[in-house]
Amino acid sequence: MIGSKRVRDELAVRQLYARQAQAIDGGQAEAWARTFTVDGEFRSETYPAPVIGWHDLAEFARDFTRAAALQGEVHRHWMNALAFEHIDRKTARAKFYLAVLAADSSSSRILRHVLVDDELARDRRGWLVRIRIVRADRPVVVGGGPR
């Protein structure tokens, strides 16, 4: 039974991330914001300041959509390599890789590749992001430093 609950929760978290990506990429700012807790936090090295709470998260998502439109592009979030672990019944942690892609009518490119570390909370609506920390992807240094 414990294994099936873990599998159900991991599948629910994967669906959360799919809904998040499709909401922000589709210009549904409020829907994206509501995949976070009411006081949810988005902290990223790739943006100048933390974004906290539904109102500011929705505005952040609107800005994301506007920026892509101004460049004549669509931006897409591509998530992969999810590692999920329960902390307790109502808290979990998830880490994954995220590529943000840009596409226009003739080409596509990777805008950035980052590492995402989420603290998740479960409420009556299911799993939500409480705190998201986004770090720029950097080379791993092995054996005492660069040569």
Side-chain angles (χ1 to χ4, degrees):
M1 280 314 249
I2 291 174
S4 64
K5 179 168 178 21
R6 177 181 160 63
V7 169
R8 280 194 312 270
D9 282 343
E10 185 173 333
L11 288 173
V13 168
R14 288 179 184 276
Q15 286 300 304
L16 167 71
Y17 292 145
R19 286 192 316 274
Q20 271 194 329
Q22 291 186 16
I24 197 167
D25 295 344
Q28 300 169 328
E30 286 76 18
W32 181 78
R34 283 176 171 58
T35 62
F36 288 78
T37 59
V38 173
D39 59 348
E41 299 180 22
F42 178 94
R43 299 176 179 274
S44 176
E45 293 177 352
T46 61
Y47 289 96
V51 183
I52 301 171
W54 279 354
H55 178 270
D56 290 346
L57 288 162
E59 189 58 34
F60 173 86
R62 280 189 285 277
D63 289 346
F64 178 85
T65 301
R66 277 192 290 265
L70 285 172
Q71 296 170 20
E73 299 175 332
V74 294
H75 291 174
R76 300 289 187 231
H77 288 73
W78 190 265
M79 302 168 181
N80 201 357
L82 174 68
F84 172 81
E85 67 176 300
H86 281 104
I87 305 302
D88 58 41
R89 285 185 35 219
K90 293 190 172 189
T91 310
R93 184 173 188 189
K95 293 181 173 186
F96 57 90
Y97 300 139
L98 171 66
V100 181
L101 310 172
D104 59 25
S105 61
S106 63
S107 66
S108 61
R109 70 186 190 289
I110 297 174
L111 290 176
R112 68 181 70 84
H113 191 272
V114 296
L115 310 173
V116 179
D117 189 346
D118 281 350
E119 180 184 313
L120 304 170
R122 185 197 330 248
D123 74 4
R124 70 186 190 293
R125 297 182 299 141
W127 289 105
L128 301 169
V129 177
R130 180 180 297 147
I131 300 170
R132 169 163 293 166
I133 298 173
V134 180
R135 292 183 178 88
D137 206 354
R138 294 185 177 91
V140 176
V141 177
V142 179
R147 295 176 185 239

